[in-house]
Amino acid sequence: MTGPHGNPTVPHGNPTVPHGSATAPRLRIAVVGDTLLDVDVSGTSERLSPDAPVPVVDVRTDDRRAGGAGLVATMLARDGHDVTLVTVLSDDSRGPEIRSLLPDVTVVAGPSGAPTPVKTRVRVVDHALVRIDEGCGTPPVPDVTDAMTTALDGVDAVVVADYGRGVAAAPTMREALARAARSTPVVWDPHPKGAAPVAGVAVVTPNSTEARRFTADAVVAPHAGAGSAGSADVTFATAAAAHLVATWRVDAVAVTLGDRGALVASSRDGNRFVPAPSVTAGDPCGAGDRLAAGVAVALASGADVAEAVTAGVTAASEYLAAGGVTALFAQEGPAPVRVPGADRDAMRLVHDVRNAGGTVVATGGCFDLLHAGHARTLSAARALGDCLVVCLNSDDSVRALKGPDRPIMGQDDRVELLLALDCVDAVVVFDEHTPDEALRRFRPDVWAKGGDYTAAELPESHTLAEWGGRVVTVPFHPGRSTTRLAAALEHVG
């Protein structure tokens, strides 16, 4: 599809979006699909019931939100977009409740002809205890009003959040979605009990379990064999995505693979694997919705399919790392979808390592043109503890230290290359001449530096002493020099 279907990192780990903007532009987005009422009951449990050997939950919070397509609409509205939710609602008491939970969303709803589906999750601290479903049987396909189909006109993108309750199966709605797909990016998040996507959709985003159900016996999932289970999943996803592109006659299918990322098959560009950033695992509720929303925003902003899926994977990963749906509703303002950044959350990493009783190691430098000496020094530094954080001079810092012709590689590329090394766990970019202020933010236990001098001679020794940290030198490998390598490359050029 043409037209609208058509990793950088900044100091201190703030990722950016394409085309240099701080957040995605304000867009008009229609979300089409089934809306539920989600209830999260949380509390503590310190005793068993005298009536049966089951835990007694002392309820502390009872949080309610619009779920299904309503959650996608909420996410996009909190990103600052103009969102219209096209759905059906019951005429029971919970229908108005769902509307009240969507204050920043324009709701265009027809009659559902069925009770409002309610999913209640009961959690004790961070552990799920039980989920209670009410009215979640499969209803008849609902009628679609003219207002529902008209709501698709003139939008920048459409997200179909199919939860198997019939909105995406209604013939009139399918005709409207097919018309929209001819000129507008449509992202379809499918459901095993739902309808097949209409032809011409820009991207369909099944997870690997859904992809297995959709392909049935047409694609055989391989055994891991001598390889890893992950490689078997990727092999299956590659075949399944290509099969579904042809079967559904859509532009692309992105089979999501949890914390590994996604495998994208495109009718034009073949297969591409999109790895997920490293994140702390969390409550997965809503992660697929976040991914689909991110893909739609990126497509509407001019990204191609691969870039859009990368944006969606990163948005889902950041959503999980931030605490998932609970954190989303705890925020006071928008939580913008962002595109992939190479930086990892150093402070979160340091916190987790410290809580586990581990040792935090840091090192620093410009790392302009990585060479074997750098790799050996970094590997030796990592061996001193349980994680390695690299303090990296920003482009401005390098220019101030080494002159206007440096750095040769920008900080975004330098961050990405450092993080590609197994021995590097996180990178913090700093603007000053020295990393002292960056070090004071996360206070490493060990500062490691390669060189032919003693630890006492290193200027960082005084900074580390402020909190009792140690300075250690690691082997220095003479003959490896960025300056020498740059001069040789200039001579070859």
Side-chain angles (χ1 to χ4, degrees):
M1 196 173 293
T2 59
H5 301 180
N7 282 330
T9 305
V10 298
H12 314 310
N14 297 318
T16 61
V17 297
H19 317 304
S21 60
T23 60
R26 187 177 182 88
L27 301 168
R28 296 167 300 167
I29 302 178
V31 178
V32 178
D34 311 298
T35 303
L36 302 77
L37 177 62
D38 283 345
V39 182
D40 278 349
V41 176
S42 298
T44 60
S45 180
E46 299 176 351
R47 66 192 190 278
L48 294 177
S49 169
D51 303 321
V54 294
V56 174
V57 178
D58 292 318
V59 176
R60 299 291 177 86
T61 60
D62 182 337
D63 298 319
R64 294 165 179 263
R65 63 180 177 272
L71 180 57
V72 181
T74 299
M75 290 173 172
L76 289 165
R78 283 174 176 256
D79 289 347
H81 301 296
D82 292 325
V83 183
T84 299
L85 173 61
V86 181
T87 189
V88 294
L89 293 176
S90 175
D91 58 2
D92 60 19
S93 62
R94 285 164 170 166
E97 181 179 2
I98 288 176
R99 285 183 182 271
S100 72
L101 293 169
L102 295 164
D104 301 318
V105 175
T106 299
V107 179
V108 179
S112 71
T116 298
V118 183
K119 294 185 177 182
T120 302
R121 299 191 306 168
V122 180
R123 300 174 66 85
V124 175
V125 191
D126 292 328
H127 301 285
L129 185 65
V130 66
R131 194 182 88 181
I132 302 167
D133 287 2
E134 303 173 67
C136 291
T138 303
V141 175
D143 293 330
V144 171
T145 66
D146 291 341
M148 292 169 66
T149 58
T150 302
L152 304 186
D153 296 340
V155 298
D156 298 305
V158 177
V159 181
V160 179
D162 187 359
Y163 276 74
R165 297 186 60 81
V167 172
T172 304
M173 180 56 68
R174 293 180 65 80
E175 292 171 6
L177 288 167
R179 287 195 301 271
R182 298 185 190 119
S183 58
T184 305
V186 176
V187 177
W188 195 297
D189 190 6
H191 191 281
K193 294 182 179 180
V198 300
V201 164
V203 184
V204 187
T205 60
N207 61 38
S208 57
T209 300
E210 291 165 344
R212 282 182 170 83
R213 295 183 181 179
F214 294 140
T215 54
D217 297 329
V219 177
V220 178
H223 295 291
S228 68
S231 64
D233 282 347
V234 171
T235 300
F236 163 75
T238 304
H243 174 79
L244 292 173
V245 166
T247 301
W248 287 335
R249 294 183 295 139
V250 296
D251 283 8
V253 170
V255 178
T256 60
L257 301 170
D259 59 5
R260 286 189 297 280
L263 193 290
V264 187
S266 168
S267 58
R268 291 190 305 174
D269 301 322
N271 301 322
R272 177 175 295 193
F273 176 62
V274 176
S278 178
V279 298
T280 302
D283 180 0
C285 177
D289 298 317
R290 195 60 171 146
L291 184 142
V295 173
V297 168
L299 287 173
S301 302
D304 63 23
V305 167
E307 292 168 339
V309 174
T310 300
V313 167
T314 301
S317 298
E318 291 180 349
Y319 166 84
L320 290 174
V325 72
T326 302
L328 174 69
F329 282 85
Q331 294 169 356
E332 295 298 328
V337 171
R338 301 182 185 272
V339 300
D343 201 2
R344 297 174 190 162
D345 189 338
M347 298 307 295
R348 181 185 295 274
L349 170 75
V350 169
H351 179 270
D352 290 345
V353 170
R354 285 234 169 85
N355 279 352
T359 298
V360 177
V361 182
T363 190
C366 299
F367 297 100
D368 193 10
L369 294 183
L370 279 176
H371 52 67
H374 289 142
R376 293 177 185 177
T377 297
L378 291 167
S379 181
R382 178 63 174 80
L384 294 170
D386 299 288
C387 72
L388 177 62
V389 179
V390 176
C391 296
L392 182 72
N393 295 76
S394 70
D395 290 348
D396 289 340
S397 177
V398 174
R399 276 189 287 271
L401 291 169
K402 297 183 178 293
D405 295 331
R406 300 283 294 275
I408 297 167
M409 290 194 304
Q411 65 195 39
D412 300 339
D413 289 340
R414 289 185 284 131
V415 169
E416 188 167 348
L417 286 171
L418 284 167
L419 288 174
L421 301 175
D422 288 341
C423 57
V424 176
D425 297 291
V427 177
V428 171
V429 182
F430 64 94
D431 287 317
E432 301 81 13
H433 290 330
T434 68
D436 295 298
E437 290 307 312
L439 291 172
R440 289 187 177 102
R441 288 204 304 275
F442 64 93
R443 298 190 169 200
D445 303 298
V446 178
W447 174 256
K449 194 72 173 174
D452 51 357
Y453 35 66
T454 66
E457 295 171 334
L458 288 169
E460 293 82 13
S461 295
H462 298 292
T463 305
L464 268 289
E466 294 175 11
W467 55 86
R470 295 177 291 121
V471 176
V472 178
T473 58
V474 294
F476 175 67
H477 303 280
R480 278 81 176 180
S481 164
T482 297
T483 301
R484 182 178 300 178
L485 181 58
L489 290 172
E490 184 177 2
H491 178 73
V492 172

PDB file of all heavy atoms in Angstrom, residues 364-388:
ATOM      1  N   GLY A 364      33.864   4.097  31.375  1.00  0.00           N
ATOM      2  CA  GLY A 364      33.460   5.217  30.547  1.00  0.00           C
ATOM      3  C   GLY A 364      34.451   5.547  29.465  1.00  0.00           C
ATOM      4  O   GLY A 364      35.570   5.025  29.439  1.00  0.00           O
ATOM      5  N   GLY A 365      34.010   6.414  28.548  1.00  0.00           N
ATOM      6  CA  GLY A 365      34.865   6.850  27.459  1.00  0.00           C
ATOM      7  C   GLY A 365      34.050   7.331  26.285  1.00  0.00           C
ATOM      8  O   GLY A 365      32.817   7.371  26.323  1.00  0.00           O
ATOM      9  N   CYS A 366      34.755   7.693  25.225  1.00  0.00           N
ATOM     10  CA  CYS A 366      34.108   8.162  23.995  1.00  0.00           C
ATOM     11  C   CYS A 366      33.672   6.999  23.116  1.00  0.00           C
ATOM     12  O   CYS A 366      32.644   7.072  22.444  1.00  0.00           O
ATOM     13  CB  CYS A 366      35.060   9.068  23.213  1.00  0.00           C
ATOM     14  SG  CYS A 366      35.571  10.545  24.120  1.00  0.00           S
ATOM     15  N   PHE A 367      34.484   5.946  23.068  1.00  0.00           N
ATOM     16  CA  PHE A 367      34.197   4.760  22.262  1.00  0.00           C
ATOM     17  C   PHE A 367      33.826   5.146  20.829  1.00  0.00           C
ATOM     18  O   PHE A 367      32.830   4.683  20.272  1.00  0.00           O
ATOM     19  CB  PHE A 367      33.098   3.916  22.907  1.00  0.00           C
ATOM     20  CG  PHE A 367      33.511   3.374  24.251  1.00  0.00           C
ATOM     21  CD1 PHE A 367      33.091   3.993  25.423  1.00  0.00           C
ATOM     22  CD2 PHE A 367      34.340   2.276  24.344  1.00  0.00           C
ATOM     23  CE1 PHE A 367      33.482   3.516  26.656  1.00  0.00           C
ATOM     24  CE2 PHE A 367      34.743   1.785  25.587  1.00  0.00           C
ATOM     25  CZ  PHE A 367      34.313   2.404  26.748  1.00  0.00           C
ATOM     26  N   ASP A 368      34.638   6.004  20.255  1.00  0.00           N
ATOM     27  CA  ASP A 368      34.443   6.451  18.879  1.00  0.00           C
ATOM     28  C   ASP A 368      35.228   5.518  17.972  1.00  0.00           C
ATOM     29  O   ASP A 368      36.456   5.512  17.998  1.00  0.00           O
ATOM     30  CB  ASP A 368      34.947   7.890  18.743  1.00  0.00           C
ATOM     31  CG  ASP A 368      34.495   8.538  17.448  1.00  0.00           C
ATOM     32  OD1 ASP A 368      33.649   7.957  16.770  1.00  0.00           O
ATOM     33  OD2 ASP A 368      34.997   9.635  17.137  1.00  0.00           O
ATOM     34  N   LEU A 369      34.547   4.713  17.186  1.00  0.00           N
ATOM     35  CA  LEU A 369      35.105   3.600  16.409  1.00  0.00           C
ATOM     36  C   LEU A 369      35.553   2.491  17.360  1.00  0.00           C
ATOM     37  O   LEU A 369      36.685   2.460  17.840  1.00  0.00           O
ATOM     38  CB  LEU A 369      36.282   4.049  15.529  1.00  0.00           C
ATOM     39  CG  LEU A 369      35.973   5.025  14.401  1.00  0.00           C
ATOM     40  CD1 LEU A 369      37.231   5.299  13.583  1.00  0.00           C
ATOM     41  CD2 LEU A 369      34.881   4.475  13.495  1.00  0.00           C
ATOM     42  N   LEU A 370      34.636   1.595  17.655  1.00  0.00           N
ATOM     43  CA  LEU A 370      34.953   0.472  18.524  1.00  0.00           C
ATOM     44  C   LEU A 370      36.006  -0.417  17.882  1.00  0.00           C
ATOM     45  O   LEU A 370      35.934  -0.729  16.688  1.00  0.00           O
ATOM     46  CB  LEU A 370      33.697  -0.354  18.793  1.00  0.00           C
ATOM     47  CG  LEU A 370      32.737   0.162  19.868  1.00  0.00           C
ATOM     48  CD1 LEU A 370      31.499  -0.733  19.913  1.00  0.00           C
ATOM     49  CD2 LEU A 370      33.407   0.202  21.227  1.00  0.00           C
ATOM     50  N   HIS A 371      36.993  -0.840  18.670  1.00  0.00           N
ATOM     51  CA  HIS A 371      38.027  -1.739  18.165  1.00  0.00           C
ATOM     52  C   HIS A 371      38.270  -2.846  19.186  1.00  0.00           C
ATOM     53  O   HIS A 371      37.647  -2.872  20.269  1.00  0.00           O
ATOM     54  CB  HIS A 371      39.308  -0.976  17.834  1.00  0.00           C
ATOM     55  CG  HIS A 371      39.828  -0.110  18.933  1.00  0.00           C
ATOM     56  ND1 HIS A 371      40.328  -0.604  20.105  1.00  0.00           N
ATOM     57  CD2 HIS A 371      39.901   1.250  19.036  1.00  0.00           C
ATOM     58  CE1 HIS A 371      40.725   0.379  20.898  1.00  0.00           C
ATOM     59  NE2 HIS A 371      40.461   1.531  20.263  1.00  0.00           N
ATOM     60  N   ALA A 372      39.186  -3.752  18.872  1.00  0.00           N
ATOM     61  CA  ALA A 372      39.422  -4.919  19.724  1.00  0.00           C
ATOM     62  C   ALA A 372      39.864  -4.524  21.124  1.00  0.00           C
ATOM     63  O   ALA A 372      39.518  -5.191  22.111  1.00  0.00           O
ATOM     64  CB  ALA A 372      40.466  -5.831  19.077  1.00  0.00           C
ATOM     65  N   GLY A 373      40.638  -3.455  21.239  1.00  0.00           N
ATOM     66  CA  GLY A 373      41.059  -3.012  22.563  1.00  0.00           C
ATOM     67  C   GLY A 373      39.881  -2.629  23.436  1.00  0.00           C
ATOM     68  O   GLY A 373      39.829  -2.977  24.622  1.00  0.00           O
ATOM     69  N   HIS A 374      38.908  -1.919  22.851  1.00  0.00           N
ATOM     70  CA  HIS A 374      37.691  -1.589  23.595  1.00  0.00           C
ATOM     71  C   HIS A 374      36.977  -2.851  24.058  1.00  0.00           C
ATOM     72  O   HIS A 374      36.553  -2.956  25.221  1.00  0.00           O
ATOM     73  CB  HIS A 374      36.738  -0.779  22.716  1.00  0.00           C
ATOM     74  CG  HIS A 374      37.180   0.612  22.442  1.00  0.00           C
ATOM     75  ND1 HIS A 374      36.984   1.218  21.221  1.00  0.00           N
ATOM     76  CD2 HIS A 374      37.811   1.535  23.215  1.00  0.00           C
ATOM     77  CE1 HIS A 374      37.453   2.450  21.259  1.00  0.00           C
ATOM     78  NE2 HIS A 374      37.964   2.669  22.456  1.00  0.00           N
ATOM     79  N   ALA A 375      36.788  -3.796  23.136  1.00  0.00           N
ATOM     80  CA  ALA A 375      36.038  -5.008  23.456  1.00  0.00           C
ATOM     81  C   ALA A 375      36.691  -5.784  24.595  1.00  0.00           C
ATOM     82  O   ALA A 375      36.020  -6.282  25.502  1.00  0.00           O
ATOM     83  CB  ALA A 375      35.917  -5.888  22.210  1.00  0.00           C
ATOM     84  N   ARG A 376      38.009  -5.869  24.571  1.00  0.00           N
ATOM     85  CA  ARG A 376      38.715  -6.602  25.632  1.00  0.00           C
ATOM     86  C   ARG A 376      38.594  -5.878  26.965  1.00  0.00           C
ATOM     87  O   ARG A 376      38.399  -6.505  28.014  1.00  0.00           O
ATOM     88  CB  ARG A 376      40.180  -6.769  25.251  1.00  0.00           C
ATOM     89  CG  ARG A 376      40.399  -7.682  24.043  1.00  0.00           C
ATOM     90  CD  ARG A 376      41.865  -7.738  23.685  1.00  0.00           C
ATOM     91  NE  ARG A 376      42.090  -8.516  22.453  1.00  0.00           N
ATOM     92  CZ  ARG A 376      43.287  -8.673  21.897  1.00  0.00           C
ATOM     93  NH1 ARG A 376      44.354  -8.100  22.437  1.00  0.00           N
ATOM     94  NH2 ARG A 376      43.419  -9.382  20.798  1.00  0.00           N
ATOM     95  N   THR A 377      38.725  -4.568  26.946  1.00  0.00           N
ATOM     96  CA  THR A 377      38.616  -3.789  28.177  1.00  0.00           C
ATOM     97  C   THR A 377      37.216  -3.902  28.772  1.00  0.00           C
ATOM     98  O   THR A 377      37.043  -4.097  29.980  1.00  0.00           O
ATOM     99  CB  THR A 377      38.948  -2.314  27.909  1.00  0.00           C
ATOM    100  OG1 THR A 377      40.309  -2.222  27.475  1.00  0.00           O
ATOM    101  CG2 THR A 377      38.758  -1.472  29.148  1.00  0.00           C
ATOM    102  N   LEU A 378      36.196  -3.781  27.929  1.00  0.00           N
ATOM    103  CA  LEU A 378      34.814  -3.891  28.405  1.00  0.00           C
ATOM    104  C   LEU A 378      34.524  -5.273  28.961  1.00  0.00           C
ATOM    105  O   LEU A 378      33.843  -5.429  29.984  1.00  0.00           O
ATOM    106  CB  LEU A 378      33.850  -3.546  27.272  1.00  0.00           C
ATOM    107  CG  LEU A 378      33.841  -2.076  26.827  1.00  0.00           C
ATOM    108  CD1 LEU A 378      33.094  -1.927  25.505  1.00  0.00           C
ATOM    109  CD2 LEU A 378      33.229  -1.187  27.895  1.00  0.00           C
ATOM    110  N   SER A 379      35.016  -6.302  28.291  1.00  0.00           N
ATOM    111  CA  SER A 379      34.801  -7.664  28.764  1.00  0.00           C
ATOM    112  C   SER A 379      35.458  -7.876  30.123  1.00  0.00           C
ATOM    113  O   SER A 379      34.872  -8.494  31.025  1.00  0.00           O
ATOM    114  CB  SER A 379      35.349  -8.663  27.743  1.00  0.00           C
ATOM    115  OG  SER A 379      35.139  -9.990  28.174  1.00  0.00           O
ATOM    116  N   ALA A 380      36.662  -7.343  30.297  1.00  0.00           N
ATOM    117  CA  ALA A 380      37.351  -7.477  31.578  1.00  0.00           C
ATOM    118  C   ALA A 380      36.610  -6.717  32.673  1.00  0.00           C
ATOM    119  O   ALA A 380      36.504  -7.182  33.819  1.00  0.00           O
ATOM    120  CB  ALA A 380      38.785  -6.968  31.456  1.00  0.00           C
ATOM    121  N   ALA A 381      36.061  -5.540  32.323  1.00  0.00           N
ATOM    122  CA  ALA A 381      35.314  -4.760  33.310  1.00  0.00           C
ATOM    123  C   ALA A 381      34.060  -5.504  33.755  1.00  0.00           C
ATOM    124  O   ALA A 381      33.728  -5.541  34.946  1.00  0.00           O
ATOM    125  CB  ALA A 381      34.956  -3.403  32.725  1.00  0.00           C
ATOM    126  N   ARG A 382      33.367  -6.124  32.802  1.00  0.00           N
ATOM    127  CA  ARG A 382      32.131  -6.848  33.135  1.00  0.00           C
ATOM    128  C   ARG A 382      32.398  -8.006  34.082  1.00  0.00           C
ATOM    129  O   ARG A 382      31.558  -8.347  34.935  1.00  0.00           O
ATOM    130  CB  ARG A 382      31.475  -7.356  31.847  1.00  0.00           C
ATOM    131  CG  ARG A 382      30.191  -8.164  32.065  1.00  0.00           C
ATOM    132  CD  ARG A 382      29.121  -7.290  32.715  1.00  0.00           C
ATOM    133  NE  ARG A 382      27.847  -7.979  32.804  1.00  0.00           N
ATOM    134  CZ  ARG A 382      27.534  -8.868  33.741  1.00  0.00           C
ATOM    135  NH1 ARG A 382      28.414  -9.154  34.686  1.00  0.00           N
ATOM    136  NH2 ARG A 382      26.349  -9.452  33.748  1.00  0.00           N
ATOM    137  N   ALA A 383      33.576  -8.596  33.982  1.00  0.00           N
ATOM    138  CA  ALA A 383      33.910  -9.738  34.827  1.00  0.00           C
ATOM    139  C   ALA A 383      34.090  -9.341  36.293  1.00  0.00           C
ATOM    140  O   ALA A 383      34.151 -10.207  37.173  1.00  0.00           O
ATOM    141  CB  ALA A 383      35.189 -10.405  34.315  1.00  0.00           C
ATOM    142  N   LEU A 384      34.150  -8.050  36.576  1.00  0.00           N
ATOM    143  CA  LEU A 384      34.346  -7.589  37.948  1.00  0.00           C
ATOM    144  C   LEU A 384      33.059  -7.575  38.766  1.00  0.00           C
ATOM    145  O   LEU A 384      33.104  -7.363  39.982  1.00  0.00           O
ATOM    146  CB  LEU A 384      34.932  -6.171  37.938  1.00  0.00           C
ATOM    147  CG  LEU A 384      36.356  -6.030  37.377  1.00  0.00           C
ATOM    148  CD1 LEU A 384      36.704  -4.560  37.214  1.00  0.00           C
ATOM    149  CD2 LEU A 384      37.354  -6.724  38.292  1.00  0.00           C
ATOM    150  N   GLY A 385      31.909  -7.736  38.129  1.00  0.00           N
ATOM    151  CA  GLY A 385      30.658  -7.658  38.876  1.00  0.00           C
ATOM    152  C   GLY A 385      29.509  -8.326  38.166  1.00  0.00           C
ATOM    153  O   GLY A 385      29.707  -9.223  37.343  1.00  0.00           O
ATOM    154  N   ASP A 386      28.280  -7.861  38.476  1.00  0.00           N
ATOM    155  CA  ASP A 386      27.072  -8.511  37.960  1.00  0.00           C
ATOM    156  C   ASP A 386      26.370  -7.713  36.873  1.00  0.00           C
ATOM    157  O   ASP A 386      25.402  -8.184  36.292  1.00  0.00           O
ATOM    158  CB  ASP A 386      26.111  -8.754  39.123  1.00  0.00           C
ATOM    159  CG  ASP A 386      26.729  -9.662  40.167  1.00  0.00           C
ATOM    160  OD1 ASP A 386      26.862 -10.866  39.899  1.00  0.00           O
ATOM    161  OD2 ASP A 386      27.124  -9.150  41.228  1.00  0.00           O
ATOM    162  N   CYS A 387      26.807  -6.495  36.599  1.00  0.00           N
ATOM    163  CA  CYS A 387      26.325  -5.731  35.462  1.00  0.00           C
ATOM    164  C   CYS A 387      27.371  -4.667  35.127  1.00  0.00           C
ATOM    165  O   CYS A 387      28.167  -4.282  35.998  1.00  0.00           O
ATOM    166  CB  CYS A 387      24.960  -5.081  35.719  1.00  0.00           C
ATOM    167  SG  CYS A 387      25.002  -3.687  36.873  1.00  0.00           S
ATOM    168  N   LEU A 388      27.370  -4.222  33.872  1.00  0.00           N
ATOM    169  CA  LEU A 388      28.302  -3.180  33.439  1.00  0.00           C
ATOM    170  C   LEU A 388      27.527  -2.031  32.807  1.00  0.00           C
ATOM    171  O   LEU A 388      26.818  -2.226  31.815  1.00  0.00           O
ATOM    172  CB  LEU A 388      29.312  -3.726  32.428  1.00  0.00           C
ATOM    173  CG  LEU A 388      30.289  -2.694  31.842  1.00  0.00           C
ATOM    174  CD1 LEU A 388      31.171  -2.086  32.930  1.00  0.00           C
ATOM    175  CD2 LEU A 388      31.139  -3.315  30.736  1.00  0.00           C
TER     176      LEU A 388
END
